[in-house]
Amino acid sequence: MLTVINQFLSASELAHFRQTLDGANWQDGARSAGQLAAPLKTNLQLDDSSAAARSLATNLSAKLSQHPLFISAALPDKIYPPKFNCYQNDGHYGQHIDSAIMRCADGSSLRSDLSATLFLSQAQDYEGGELCVEIGGCLQEIKLDAGDMILYPANCLHEVKPVPKGQRLAAFFWVQSLIRSHQQRQQLFELDQSIQALTIKLGSDDEEVRRLSALYHNLLREWAYA
Amino acid sequence: MLTVINQFLSASELAHFRQTLDGANWQDGARSAGQLAAPLKTNLQLDDSSAAARSLATNLSAKLSQHPLFISAALPDKIYPPKFNCYQNDGHYGQHIDSAIMRCADGSSLRSDLSATLFLSQAQDYEGGELCVEIGGCLQEIKLDAGDMILYPANCLHEVKPVPKGQRLAAFFWVQSLIRSHQQRQQLFELDQSIQALTIKLGSDDEEVRRLSALYHNLLREWAYA
Amino acid sequence: MLTVINQFLSASELAHFRQTLDGANWQDGARSAGQLAAPLKTNLQLDDSSAAARSLATNLSAKLSQHPLFISAALPDKIYPPKFNCYQNDGHYGQHIDSAIMRCADGSSLRSDLSATLFLSQAQDYEGGELCVEIGGCLQEIKLDAGDMILYPANCLHEVKPVPKGQRLAAFFWVQSLIRSHQQRQQLFELDQSIQALTIKLGSDDEEVRRLSALYHNLLREWAYA
Amino acid sequence: MLTVINQFLSASELAHFRQTLDGANWQDGARSAGQLAAPLKTNLQLDDSSAAARSLATNLSAKLSQHPLFISAALPDKIYPPKFNCYQNDGHYGQHIDSAIMRCADGSSLRSDLSATLFLSQAQDYEGGELCVEIGGCLQEIKLDAGDMILYPANCLHEVKPVPKGQRLAAFFWVQSLIRSHQQRQQLFELDQSIQALTIKLGSDDEEVRRLSALYHNLLREWAYA
Amino acid sequence: MLTVINQFLSASELAHFRQTLDGANWQDGARSAGQLAAPLKTNLQLDDSSAAARSLATNLSAKLSQHPLFISAALPDKIYPPKFNCYQNDGHYGQHIDSAIMRCADGSSLRSDLSATLFLSQAQDYEGGELCVEIGGCLQEIKLDAGDMILYPANCLHEVKPVPKGQRLAAFFWVQSLIRSHQQRQQLFELDQSIQALTIKLGSDDEEVRRLSALYHNLLREWAYA
Amino acid sequence: MLTVINQFLSASELAHFRQTLDGANWQDGARSAGQLAAPLKTNLQLDDSSAAARSLATNLSAKLSQHPLFISAALPDKIYPPKFNCYQNDGHYGQHIDSAIMRCADGSSLRSDLSATLFLSQAQDYEGGELCVEIGGCLQEIKLDAGDMILYPANCLHEVKPVPKGQRLAAFFWVQSLIRSHQQRQQLFELDQSIQALTIKLGSDDEEVRRLSALYHNLLREWAYA
Ligand code: NI
Ligand code: NI
Ligand code: NI
Ligand code: NI
Ligand code: NI
Ligand code: NI
C-alpha cells in the first residue's frame, strides 16, 4: 500500500528546509549504499553529522511524531533519523531493495518496514527523478510536489530515475512499524477510519463505535511487536 | 467465552428426541473415556452404533449445519457426531480436560476446539448435574432447560456434578472450528454482529458497512485453518 | 501479485469451450452471490448441474492440475470447481470482496486465497467488461484475449465493468493454495524460477543449485498448510 | 486469568503509602483518558510529576521487580510507572478497554498485556468502587483489602463502579509481559508451580524435575518477545 | 531428532514380509525420483500397484496406526502408503532432500514432516547401505537390524551409501505429523514420557500428574494442524 | 547447528587475554548458577566487576560486532557481556539447560538463543573439559584450540566434563539473535553463502544474484524480531 501525505510540510517549513540545504555539504551517495547497491547509485547525500543535517533531521522527527495521519498509517515504533539527498546531472539510483536491518549512528538498529520520501523540490523544477516502486506486480511512478511525502513498503523493488535537468532534493527515512505485516497495518488504518466516520454519523457512545474501538485496540495488542 | 443458544430444539423436536431415547440401549460411559479420565466417570452413554443414536446424531448434525447463530459463534469446520449420555443415581464426571484430538468412527480425526452440551431434560426434573466450567479463573455453573445448548472452550477444566435425584439426559459433541483461537473467533463473532447492527442502522450500501464486511472476510481468510 | 497465463487454452480447446457454451442454460448470477453482493451483480451464470457446465468444469480442472506455470504460481491445494458466466446488455458486477470460505457442491469447503478468471471471448468482440482489481493501492484493469487466464489475490476489492456491447464469456474459480501468504507464495515462485535459470547456466549438479533446491523444499515444508 | 496477590504491601509499607498520599496534589482523571474514554471518567489522579507520585512509583517498581509471585505470574518485560487515583463523591470510570500501546513519560512505549490495581483503602472504608472485569463471558467483581493487588488481562472490558461514600485510593499500572498470550503465560505459571511441587516431593535431582525444568526454559525461549 | 523403534516387526511378521518380497516385481527406482534427484538414484523399487506391494503396505499401515511408541513419537496425521526398495550391486541414493509435498496414488497429498525406513535385511547380510542423515550439523550413520525402524526429520539432507555386496531390502514412507515443528513434537513426546513416569511414581490422581496432563492436551490443541 | 569459528582470536590477542587472566580474581562459579543448576557446578568464574573482566569483555564485544562470519552465522541482536571461567582440579558443570532469559548487569535482559564458548587454553594443556552438547539426539564432544570459538543452540542440554589435570580457561556468553528459530537462521546463513558463491561465479549484476539478494533481505525482514 502506498500512502501519500500531501503538504506534510507547510510553505514556511519548506522554505526553512530549502534555505538550510543551500550551501550544505553534499557527499557521494554511493558511500552509504551496501556492496550490491553501490554501483547503482549516483547521487549526493548530506553529511549526516553536519549541523544542517542534524537540525533538519531533529525538526522532521519531531513533526513526524505528532502527525496524526502519519501515525495512523505507519503506526511507527522506531524512525530512522531522516537523511537528505540530491539528484542532478543524470544522477539516479537503479532498481534495488533496501536492507532489512538498518544500523543507526547511535548503535541501535531497526527493521525497515516502510520507506519514506519527503519531496523538497517542486515537481516542475526538474526533469525525471520519478520514484518507481514495484508493488503487487504493478509499477507505480511517484513524483510529488515539494512538501508532500510518500510511504511505501520497504520490501518492494524500487528505483529513482535519472534527473537530466534541474535538481531533486528530498529527505528519506525508514520506519520500523509496531505492525510488521503490511496487510494488518492497512486493516488497522481502515478500521481506524471507519471508527472515525461512524463516530461522526452515530456519536461516540454508539454501541458499535465502542465495540469496534475495542476491536481496534485488541487487534493492535495482538499484532504489535509480533 | 461461553455461548448459550436457547431453544436450539423446538418443543416438537425435543419431544422426538426424548421419545427416541426412551428404552434406548445405555452403556457404561467409562468405556469411552481416556485412561486418566475413566475412574472419574460414572454415567451412561448411548451405544453409538444403535439405530436410536445414529438417527438422532444425523438429525442433530443437519440442524447444526443450518443454524445461523451456531455457525456465527462456532465457525465450524468439522463436527464430531453427537453422542448421548444420561446421569442418574449420583452419576457424575469429575474434573478433567477433554482430549485434544478426537478420533471419529469413520477413521477421521478432529481437534476439539469447542465442547457443546445440548440439555434434553428439564432443569427442574433432576437435582444437581450442573456443568461446571473453569474459564478465565472463574467457575461457571451451567444448568439449562431442555432444548438449550451451551458451547464452551474445550481447553477448560470442567466437570458434571452428581445427579442424586431424577435423570439428566443430554447430547454432547465437539467442534473443530475454522478458527482455533478463542479470542479471534470471538472477535469475528462480534464484528459480524456489529456489521448486522450497522446494516440495520445505515443500510447495506453504507461505505463503512462495506469496509467492515471486507475486513470480516479478510480476517477470516487470514485466520481460517491456521 | 497478478499472474497472467497467456494461451492457457489452445485454439482448439477454446473452440470446444465456446461451442459447448452455445445454447447452454444461463441463469441469473445474483442467485449465487452473498447477501451483500447480490444487488451489485447483474450477469448470467451457467447452471452448475447442467451437462455443459459439468463437462467443461471437469475438462478445465484436469488441465489445471497438469499445467506447470499454474502449479508453480498458485501452488494449489484445492480448486473450486470452475463456474461459467456471461456479461452482456450492460451486465456488470460492482466492487466487492469474495467470501473467504467457499462451500462446494460436494459439501467440502475451501479458503479462497486466489481468484481466477479464464477469458473465453476475444477482447475485441465486446465493449467494457474490464476486471478491475485494487491491489497495493493501485487499480489494475485487466481485459485479456480468449484463452488467457488471470490469477489475483482473493483479498482484493474487485469489480467487472458493464458490458454495453457484445458478450463477455468467462470461467472463474478459486484456489486454496498450499501457501496462504501471497508474499511467501511469490517468494517460492521466484526462487523456483531462479533455480531453473541457474540450472541452465550452471548445471543441475552445481552446489548452489542443490542448496537452493533444498531451501525451496524446506521453505515449502515450513509454510505449506500453515 | 485473574491473579490476586494478597498483602503485596506490608502494613508498614501501606502506612507509608497512605501517609504520602495525604495532602497530595490530585487532578481531574479525565485529562489522561483517551478521546473515547474521557467522558466516562470522573475520578482524581495524582500529578505524575509531583514528588509524592515519583517517590511512591519508584518504591513500588522496585518492590515489583523482586516479588517472586508477581514475576512468575506476570513474567514482566516492562512495567509502566505506577500511577495513583482516588474515587469519591460518586466518582467512577465507565466500561472501557485500555489502550494497547501506552506512552511513558520518558518517550518509550509499552504494550499493555496486563492491567494491575493495588488497593490502598480498606474495603470497609468506602461503598461501591468494585472493579468489574468481563472475562471469558463472565463478570467478575473485585474489591480487595488495602495492600492487596489484582492482575487482569488488559484486553478485557472493565469498569470501576461509583463510590458514593468514603474514598477509594489505589495504584494502577500496566505490564508488557515477556509472553503476550494469556494462555501461554498461564501455562508457564502452572508448569512452574508443578516443578516446585515436584521438587518438594521428589527432590531437585529427580529426572522428571530436570526434564520439566528444561521444558519450562525452552517454552519460555520459544514464546518470549514473540 | 532420530527415533529408533527396535523390533517394530516381530520375527514372524518379518518372515512374512521377506517371503512376499521374494520373486516380487522390482523396477528402476529412478522412475519415482524428482528431476534433480533421479541421476543420484540407482536402486530398485517394488511396483506399487502389484499385489505384493499393496498387501504389505496395507499390513504395515495397520500396524503403524496401533503402535503406541510410533504414535507418541510421530503424532501422525497422515501416512504415505509405504513403498519397498532394494539396493544391491553398488546401488545407492546420493545426498538429497525429500520433496516437501508428496502426492499419493489416490490423488491426496501430504507434507513430509518425517521420513521412515523399516529395515528388512539383517545388517550382517550386506555391506554398506548405511542411511546417512545430516542433522544439527552432525552426520549420523544408521544401519539397523531387520525389523527395526528409524524415523528422521524429512528436512535433513540424507543419502544411502552403495551396497557392494548382498542385498538391502527396506520399506520407506513419510509422515505428515499433527505437529509440524520437530522441536514441539519432541517436547510433547518428552512431556508424555514424564507424565507416564510420574504416574508410576505418584499415581494417576496426583495433582501434578493431572495438571501436566492438561498441559499436554492443551499444547497439542494449540499446535495440532498449525 | 554447531558453528566453529577457528582462530577467532589472533595469537597476539590470545596472549593478551591470557596475560590479563593471570593473577585475576576468581570466584566460586556456583554463585551465578540458578537454583537447580548450582549443585552441578564446580568451577571458577572471574568477578564480572573486576578491571580484568571488564576490559576483556569490552575487547571481546567490540571484536564480535565486526566479525563477518560471526555476524552472518549468529545475526546478533544483543550480546550478553562475556564472562570468563576456569575449570581445574576435577572442576566440571553437569548436564543442564541455560536459562531462557538472562538479566545483564545494566538491568536489561536478553533471550539466550545461542550459547558461545571461546577456548583460551590449548587443548593439549589439560585433560577432559570437553563441552558435550546434545543436539538432534546426537551427542557432540567439543574441545577446540585456544582462540577458537563454538556457537551452539542454547536450547540444548550440555555439560562440561571434569578437568582432572591442567587448567581450562574460556570466555562464554549468550546471543539474542535477530532470528529466534535455529532453522531460519541456518537457512539465511546458507542463502548468504550461496549468494556470495554465485557472485563470484556470475558477477554481482547477474539477475539471479539480485533476485536471491532481495529474497535474503525480505526473509530477514519477515523473520527479524519475530
Ligand atoms: Ni532504496
Ligand atoms: Ni469433558
Ligand atoms: Ni468476485
Ligand atoms: Ni482501564
Ligand atoms: Ni530420500
Ligand atoms: Ni550452560
Side-chain angles (χ1 to χ4, degrees), chain D residues 172-185:
Chain D
F172 64 101
F173 58 91
W174 295 275
V175 180
Q176 176 173 319
S177 177
L178 290 167
I179 307 295
R180 177 198 313 254
S181 152
H182 300 305
Q183 178 170 328
Q184 291 177 341
R185 198 184 315 112

Side-chain angles (χ1 to χ4, degrees), chain D residues 93 96 98 152 158:
Chain D
Y93 196 165
H96 66 283
D98 295 341
Y152 59 98
H158 59 282

Side-chain angles (χ1 to χ4, degrees), chain A residues 6 10 24 198:
Chain A
N6 286 315
S10 68
L198 291 169

Side-chain angles (χ1 to χ4, degrees), chain D residues 27-31 33 37-45 86-94 160-163:
Chain D
Q27 303 176 324
D28 179 359
R31 282 168 53 170
L40 306 171
K41 200 175 170 186
T42 62
N43 68 355
L44 299 172
Q45 270 180 219
C86 170
Y87 290 86
Q88 56 191 11
N89 304 322
D90 284 321
H92 62 274
Y93 196 165
V160 177
K161 289 292 179 70
V163 177

Side-chain angles (χ1 to χ4, degrees), chain B residues 1-2 134-140 155 182-183 190, chain D residues 1-2 134-140 155 182-183 190:
Chain B
M1 187 66 188
L2 304 184
E134 195 180 308
I135 181 167
C138 152
L139 202 66
Q140 302 263 52
N155 59 354
H182 300 306
Q183 178 170 327
E190 296 200 2
Chain D
M1 186 66 187
L2 305 183
E134 195 180 308
I135 181 167
C138 152
L139 203 64
Q140 301 263 50
N155 59 355
H182 300 305
Q183 178 170 328
E190 296 201 1

Side-chain angles (χ1 to χ4, degrees), chain B residues 163-184:
Chain B
V163 177
K165 266 199 196 160
Q167 190 184 54
R168 177 194 188 271
L169 293 171
F172 63 101
F173 57 93
W174 295 275
V175 179
Q176 175 173 318
S177 177
L178 288 167
I179 307 295
R180 177 199 315 252
S181 152
H182 300 306
Q183 178 170 327
Q184 291 178 341

Side-chain angles (χ1 to χ4, degrees), chain A residues 185-205:
Chain A
R185 197 185 315 114
Q186 177 70 11
Q187 287 174 327
L188 286 171
F189 180 62
E190 296 202 2
L191 181 52
D192 187 25
Q193 291 191 314
S194 284
I195 292 167
Q196 290 182 34
L198 291 169
T199 302
I200 291 168
K201 286 186 196 172
L202 304 170
S204 71
D205 57 352

Side-chain angles (χ1 to χ4, degrees), chain A:
Chain A
M1 186 66 185
L2 304 183
T3 307
V4 172
I5 303 184
N6 286 315
Q7 294 174 280
F8 178 82
L9 293 186
S10 68
S12 66
E13 287 167 330
L14 178 60
H16 172 66
F17 271 70
R18 289 298 301 267
Q19 204 167 1
T20 310
L21 289 176
D22 271 3
N25 182 16
W26 295 97
Q27 303 176 321
D28 179 2
R31 284 170 48 172
S32 73
Q35 209 179 334
L36 276 174
L40 305 171
K41 200 174 170 188
T42 62
N43 69 354
L44 298 171
Q45 270 181 219
L46 204 56
D47 174 4
D48 291 339
S49 62
S50 66
R54 294 169 72 156
S55 149
L56 293 185
T58 303
N59 190 321
L60 191 44
S61 297
K63 200 166 163 55
L64 286 167
S65 70
Q66 304 191 336
H67 194 282
L69 179 55
F70 170 75
I71 290 172
S72 180
L75 290 170
D77 178 25
K78 299 182 194 164
I79 298 176
Y80 192 93
K83 300 166 82 78
F84 298 85
N85 60 13
C86 171
Y87 290 87
Q88 56 191 10
N89 304 323
D90 285 319
H92 61 275
Y93 196 164
Q95 206 182 39
H96 67 282
I97 285 216
D98 295 341
S99 288
I101 304 294
M102 299 285 183
R103 196 150 299 260
C104 307
D106 70 356
S108 68
S109 294
L110 60 69
R111 183 186 66 224
S112 57
D113 295 321
L114 290 166
S115 295
T117 297
L118 171 62
F119 288 79
L120 296 173
S121 301
Q122 295 299 342
Q124 77 227 28
D125 289 353
Y126 59 96
E127 285 183 11
E130 295 86 358
L131 171 66
C132 295
V133 180
E134 197 180 307
I135 181 167
C138 152
L139 202 65
Q140 301 264 51
E141 292 214 349
I142 300 137
K143 188 168 176 177
L144 302 176
D145 256 327
D148 295 348
M149 188 162 76
I150 175 89
L151 287 170
Y152 60 97
N155 59 355
C156 293
L157 276 168
H158 60 282
E159 68 184 306
V160 177
K161 288 292 177 71
V163 177
K165 267 197 197 163
Q167 191 184 52
R168 177 194 189 272
L169 294 170
F172 64 100
F173 57 92
W174 294 274
V175 179
Q176 175 173 321
S177 177
L178 289 168
I179 308 294
R180 178 199 313 255
S181 151
H182 300 306
Q183 178 170 327
Q184 290 177 341
R185 197 185 315 114
Q186 177 70 11
Q187 287 174 327
L188 286 171
F189 180 62
E190 296 202 2
L191 181 52
D192 187 25
Q193 291 191 314
S194 284
I195 292 167
Q196 290 182 34
L198 291 169
T199 302
I200 291 168
K201 286 186 196 172
L202 304 170
S204 71
D205 57 352
D206 177 79
E207 192 189 332
E208 305 318 323
V209 169
R210 294 209 166 279
R211 187 145 62 165
L212 292 170
S213 196
L215 177 63
Y216 179 87
H217 277 290
N218 284 340
L219 287 178
L220 183 51
R221 218 182 305 264
E222 278 303 295
W223 295 344
Y225 308 118

